Amino acid sequence: MIDTKRTIPADQADAGSVLAEDVRDRSGRLLLSAGIPLKDKHLRVLKTWGVTQVAIWQEAPASATDSTLPSREAPPPIDETAYQQAEAVMLNAFRHCDLKQSVMQTLFDLATRRLASSIQLKGHS
């Protein structure tokens, strides 16, 4: 997850780093736009134009307690009633999709299981 903007000396930027801000020369002319991944040719442009620092996006280290990480535990079993309710809702939501295509069937199955799980949790609370 890229979420931290960091200003670093331009000579420490690596190919593959993503610019967080536009890079301009001393007169304000745009050299490189924010959002581009740096390549070797971009690093040469920075050096040629005397750019001393750049702002890049940096990945925040994932911690062991990060709740955004997927769980490694098996999902709890879903009761048949919750699944049938979820399936009815999802059949309507996917009514314009060709469920014979494997990718659409996979999306349908995942969405149905997720909704069924939600329905089941609300029924137990």
Side-chain angles (χ1 to χ4, degrees), residues 1 6-7 11 16 22 37 40 46 64 67 69 72 74 76 78 93 115:
M1 168 186 246
R6 183 172 157 220
T7 301
D11 60 354
D22 290 341
D40 288 332
L46 297 175
S67 62
L69 295 175
R72 299 276 184 211
I78 297 173
L115 181 59

Side-chain angles (χ1 to χ4, degrees), residues 2 28 31 48 65 85 89-90 101 105 110 113-114 121:
I2 299 176
L31 298 176
T48 301
T65 59
Q85 290 173 345
V89 170
M90 286 300 133
Q101 293 181 356
Q105 184 62 49
L110 289 170
R113 285 194 56 78
R114 188 172 195 165
L121 284 174

